[in-house]
Amino acid sequence: MLSYPDAFLLRIWYKEHFKTKLKPEDIRIDLDDMFRAYSASEGQAYVKWHGKIRIIVDLSENTSTEMKLLPTTSGIFERCSRFRILVIGKVGVGKSSLIDHVFGVGTNTTVAHDQRGKANIDTQFTSPHNDRFVLHDSKGFEPGEEDNLELVLDFIRRRKAMPDKDQLHAIWLCFQTPFAGGRFLETGAEEFLTCKRDGRLGDIPVIVVLTKYDMLVDDIELNLDDSTDGLSDEAIKELVKDKADVEIRDNCIIPLERFAGSDIPHATISTKADYKETLAGLIQLTEKRVSKHSTPEAGVMTSIAQRVDSGLKIQALIKWVLLTLFLSGDLRSVRVGKERYWKALRSGPSFKNCQMWDCLDVLHTDIVEVWNFRDPHKYLRSQEFRKLILDMVDGTQVGPIADPDKTVTTRFSLVCTAASVLAGPAAPVVVPIAAGVVFGAWVYDIYQTSDVVLQRFMAYIAHLALVLRTLFIVSESQEVTRRAIKLAVEVYLTSPMCGEVVIRIQDHIRQLKVLERRDGDTLNKIEEVVQFYKIDAAEISKLREKLHGHLVDESW
């Protein structure tokens, strides 16, 4: 059985004139060409010439149950079902708040409520609100508790010897950001960092997390002198930030580098509403280190488990999950690059002879799984929600091409758009869902290679990802309701970005026809469209305040 990214070689043995010894020669069969020829022709054979040798490869589809379409995420979850992290920190450093804000697990199901002496490093903290995350908690290296260092080192050694699914993926070493002359590192922490520098911890990423950064900022603001009189609020804010950076460098980073080396990763964070971008920076740093030092599945799971950075969700979706789905391999084979992804999609080795509905079902499942919403009622997998996305696809048909040079602005007010959709706290959000959820006839067609199919796939991926990105902002780690979903759909539909997606996809299909551009450009185009849709932190904060109390559940 052949599938991407297999290598197909034909070895022939031949004898040169006047010689008796046989010599081997390997002839490489290009699977891209072979699958494309098979998909386009009515016959079941692929013909290749090698010099004067005619090679005929008889092809037949695999009808065994092994060829059943399966989401890529099912394979990822089988090998790595959860992101596993060890968080080390003293009582009161803010571990519970940090974990809840980054992973959306609820404060009642995380660390040992910051109670002294209660942490057991072997206890696995999980949450029904996020089943892609597991936490191990360790008390900090308190004075007089030197044995805790050996407990942590022993735990790391034991986890390293376990199967992949049980291994530790990252360590957050938490300290409260010091101010007013407070001490930063205790002896036990210094020894732990030295162990990391000397290689005793192996490749496990250790990220130093400086918590409660807002308290340092507040302290600096309170102690500003009269020289700031007359400065604008923005200038004062920038001055305070510069002073805070200097204090962190002098009181934290320099001592850190003395014990851990100059490349120790660190992040300064606060869980206050005005500092949410610091949490995104922390999880980005963590994902980068995990991807570098652990399995590809662990890197993907880092992005899936977190609930603060939508950009990481898109990156995991495009870079790993969709590539793997269409290459019919595992994450270790994805490094071959984006070009083969769309060669696979256009020739259809995975989807051949499958109903379009089944193909889209796999896509839908993978995309929803990556976003990892708190969705106990499976609303995002419902027929009603799929119908809403398919209706958007139906509006993206091959036809007259919109002007690709006319850029529709994405700097629209999400708050105003949401306000216009909401008629009042009790008024239901109305989106068009046909009675009985009737789908277009094309979803029951058999998959065929064509520009129309390519465009529909691109539109489905882009529209679904962008609706979920909007929902990610709207829901803020809360339980997903049908009202929240419909609001996200309506906000997206009424935004300029929805029309921009249609323009860009249509233009890309036209470019493929006229210029025969490289296949990798298609995946780049989806990534470009989805990542282009961004909303700044202030807009997000205003939107969440506007929607507070408006997202109770209602019928479709």
Side-chain angles (χ1 to χ4, degrees):
M1 182 177 69
L2 289 174
S3 62
Y4 285 97
D6 296 340
F8 183 18
L9 297 175
L10 175 65
R11 173 165 293 182
I12 61 173
W13 294 82
Y14 65 94
K15 188 165 55 175
E16 294 179 336
H17 290 299
F18 309 113
K19 293 184 179 180
T20 58
K21 188 177 180 179
L22 292 173
K23 293 180 63 176
E25 180 179 353
D26 290 335
I27 303 171
R28 180 177 295 275
I29 307 295
D30 190 327
L31 288 188
D32 294 331
D33 290 340
M34 187 173 69
F35 282 131
R36 188 178 293 111
Y38 173 59
S39 178
S41 66
E42 297 181 358
Q44 305 253 326
Y46 170 72
V47 179
K48 176 182 176 67
W49 286 91
H50 181 73
K52 295 182 179 181
I53 301 174
R54 187 185 185 209
I55 302 168
I56 301 175
V57 182
D58 286 326
L59 301 171
S60 63
E61 62 190 84
N62 190 322
T63 57
S64 70
T65 56
E66 295 179 3
M67 290 300 292
K68 180 181 178 181
L69 286 175
L70 293 174
T72 296
T73 47
S74 63
I76 295 174
F77 297 157
E78 183 178 346
R79 291 184 288 271
C80 180
S81 60
R82 288 172 171 169
F83 172 65
R84 185 179 298 271
I85 189 170
L86 168 64
V87 179
I88 305 172
K90 293 180 181 180
V91 173
V93 76
K95 292 182 291 184
S96 291
S97 179
L98 171 62
I99 293 300
D100 180 39
H101 279 81
V102 174
F103 298 102
V105 293
T107 55
N108 294 326
T109 55
T110 56
V111 299
H113 304 293
D114 283 336
Q115 299 175 37
R116 184 179 298 275
K118 294 294 184 180
N120 181 343
I121 198 169
D122 284 304
T123 300
Q124 301 184 98
F125 291 94
T126 58
S127 168
H129 301 325
N130 187 347
D131 59 2
R132 297 304 171 196
F133 169 80
V134 59
L135 166 73
H136 294 271
D137 178 30
S138 172
K139 56 189 177 182
F141 303 111
E142 305 272 3
E145 297 183 356
E146 290 77 10
D147 60 332
N148 192 46
L149 174 61
E150 190 53 44
L151 287 174
V152 171
L153 295 178
D154 178 65
F155 173 79
I156 295 171
R157 285 192 293 266
R158 286 187 285 111
R159 281 286 162 183
K160 191 173 182 62
M162 292 183 180
D164 285 350
K165 65 183 182 66
D166 297 316
Q167 290 202 4
L168 191 63
H169 299 135
I171 298 172
W172 284 351
L173 180 59
C174 299
F175 303 96
Q176 180 171 325
T177 305
F179 64 96
R183 183 176 178 181
F184 179 46
L185 293 176
E186 300 289 350
T187 301
E190 294 172 352
E191 292 179 2
F192 179 78
L193 291 168
T194 301
C195 288
K196 175 59 180 173
R197 182 194 64 196
D198 295 343
R200 292 177 59 189
L201 304 186
D203 290 335
I204 182 72
V206 176
I207 293 95
V208 173
V209 183
L210 306 175
T211 65
K212 302 185 180 181
Y213 171 68
D214 60 288
M215 295 180 65
L216 172 62
V217 171
D218 291 344
D219 183 69
I220 292 174
E221 286 181 341
L222 287 173
N223 290 283
L224 290 175
D225 56 35
D226 295 339
S227 64
T228 61
D229 291 347
L231 293 178
S232 65
D233 290 344
E234 192 63 32
I236 292 176
K237 182 178 179 181
E238 191 64 28
L239 175 64
V240 170
K241 182 181 182 303
D242 290 342
K243 287 180 175 290
D245 289 343
V246 171
E247 289 208 23
I248 289 171
R249 184 196 65 204
D250 294 343
N251 299 330
C252 303
I253 306 308
I254 292 177
L256 272 177
E257 292 179 344
R258 186 180 306 128
F259 295 100
S262 60
D263 63 342
I264 181 71
H266 57 274
T268 304
I269 66 98
S270 171
T271 58
K272 300 296 184 181
D274 292 339
Y275 297 87
K276 288 295 179 69
E277 73 280 357
T278 64
L279 300 179
L282 169 60
I283 200 64
Q284 289 166 13
L285 179 60
T286 304
E287 187 276 338
K288 182 178 180 179
R289 292 284 172 154
V290 172
S291 295
K292 180 178 179 180
H293 296 291
S294 189
T295 63
E297 290 84 2
V300 174
M301 192 52 64
T302 308
S303 299
I304 292 176
Q306 62 85 23
R307 286 174 171 167
V308 292
D309 185 18
S310 62
L312 272 184
K313 300 286 189 184
I314 299 296
Q315 176 182 305
L317 176 65
I318 299 292
K319 183 179 178 182
W320 296 114
V321 177
L322 294 180
L323 274 169
T324 307
L325 171 64
F326 287 102
L327 292 178
S328 303
D330 60 29
L331 294 188
R332 294 164 181 80
S333 69
V334 168
R335 303 183 191 277
V336 298
K338 295 179 181 178
E339 288 82 1
R340 295 191 65 187
Y341 173 97
W342 289 104
K343 287 182 180 178
L345 177 56
R346 294 173 77 187
S347 57
S350 296
F351 290 162
K352 188 173 178 66
N353 293 327
C354 293
Q355 196 176 68
M356 286 287 290
W357 172 260
D358 295 328
C359 304
L360 292 173
D361 179 65
V362 170
L363 275 173
H364 187 99
T365 299
D366 270 336
I367 294 171
V368 169
E369 289 284 9
V370 167
W371 283 95
N372 186 32
F373 284 98
R374 184 176 160 192
D375 185 20
H377 303 291
K378 309 296 182 185
Y379 291 142
L380 294 175
R381 294 167 174 79
S382 68
Q383 301 285 71
E384 289 85 357
F385 180 58
R386 293 169 193 260
K387 169 64 175 173
L388 292 174
I389 305 301
L390 284 169
D391 284 347
M392 296 182 201
V393 175
D394 284 337
T396 316
Q397 299 300 319
V398 173
I401 305 298
D403 183 1
D405 296 323
K406 182 181 179 181
T407 302
V408 180
T409 178
T410 58
R411 293 296 180 181
F412 65 98
S413 172
L414 196 64
V415 176
C416 294
T417 305
S420 67
V421 173
L422 291 169
V429 179
V430 180
V431 290
I433 304 177
V437 193
V438 178
F439 300 110
W442 64 267
V443 303
Y444 304 108
D445 293 341
I446 300 300
Y447 179 94
Q448 294 180 349
T449 303
S450 70
D451 287 334
V452 173
V453 169
L454 177 61
Q455 182 166 288
R456 282 171 172 159
F457 272 71
M458 289 181 68
Y460 197 96
I461 294 169
H463 286 314
L464 176 57
L466 287 170
V467 166
L468 293 182
R469 192 169 203 168
T470 307
L471 181 63
F472 187 83
I473 296 169
V474 168
S475 64
E476 196 181 14
S477 297
Q478 301 303 307
E479 182 176 315
V480 170
T481 65
R482 285 167 288 190
R483 182 177 178 84
I485 294 171
K486 291 190 292 179
L487 176 63
V489 169
E490 187 64 16
V491 167
Y492 173 65
L493 283 172
T494 55
S495 74
M497 191 59 213
C498 185
E500 182 81 354
V501 167
V502 175
I503 292 171
R504 295 187 178 216
I505 289 177
Q506 288 180 338
D507 181 52
H508 180 73
I509 298 299
R510 182 178 64 85
Q511 294 280 357
L512 286 176
K513 291 179 179 179
V514 174
L515 301 178
E516 288 298 321
R517 298 171 69 184
R518 296 174 64 189
D519 294 299
D521 287 348
T522 298
L523 191 55
N524 290 333
K525 178 60 64 175
I526 287 185
E527 186 173 14
E528 169 197 311
V529 168
V530 176
Q531 293 287 23
F532 190 67
Y533 179 54
K534 294 181 179 178
I535 305 167
D536 61 34
E539 187 83 351
I540 292 173
S541 179
K542 291 178 183 177
L543 174 66
R544 287 171 173 168
E545 182 179 348
K546 184 77 177 178
L547 297 179
H548 183 70
H550 283 251
L551 300 180
V552 294
D553 203 13
E554 64 187 26
S555 66
W556 288 108

